[in-house]
Amino acid sequence: MPDRHFEILELPDDVRNLIAGCEITGQRSIFEREGRAAAILLSFDEYLALRETLEISNDAALRARLATAEAEVARGAMLLPEDLRVE
């Protein structure tokens, strides 16, 4: 099912205010039905970050490379940017 797109300026003021709060401050809005969470409004940047986190968690090779890099940092085996300059 394709994503649905809405023009913010065409939405009612109260909805635009919810979106502005989300976009500017990172405030999330949870929509409930009979006391149970049914949907959430979060900023697009936060959505992209969550998608990236899922992609990383599902990529075993990438997780292994990250673990190797973190181990190198932990033992101090990293180069500073100035060490990379060729003179």
Side-chain angles (χ1 to χ4, degrees):
M1 177 182 295
D3 293 341
R4 295 174 62 190
H5 295 254
F6 301 92
E7 176 54 52
I8 292 173
L9 296 176
E10 295 174 1
L11 298 173
D13 287 344
D14 55 342
V15 176
R16 288 200 326 252
N17 289 334
L18 278 176
I19 293 169
C22 177
E23 185 176 30
I24 295 167
T25 68
Q27 176 185 10
R28 294 180 204 108
S29 296
I30 299 172
F31 299 89
E32 297 179 344
R33 181 183 300 113
E34 298 178 3
R36 185 179 152 274
I40 188 166
L41 175 67
L42 64 144
S43 74
F44 193 70
D45 287 341
E46 188 172 0
Y47 166 76
L48 291 176
L50 289 169
R51 292 290 305 256
E52 183 178 25
T53 299
L54 286 172
E55 288 174 16
I56 291 169
S57 69
N58 289 326
D59 187 334
L62 178 56
R63 284 194 325 274
R65 290 196 313 269
L66 288 170
T68 299
E70 288 172 357
E72 290 175 358
V73 169
R75 71 173 191 268
M78 56 187 219
L79 296 174
L80 297 173
E82 54 267 19
D83 295 335
L84 298 174
R85 277 189 262 146
V86 177
E87 296 181 23

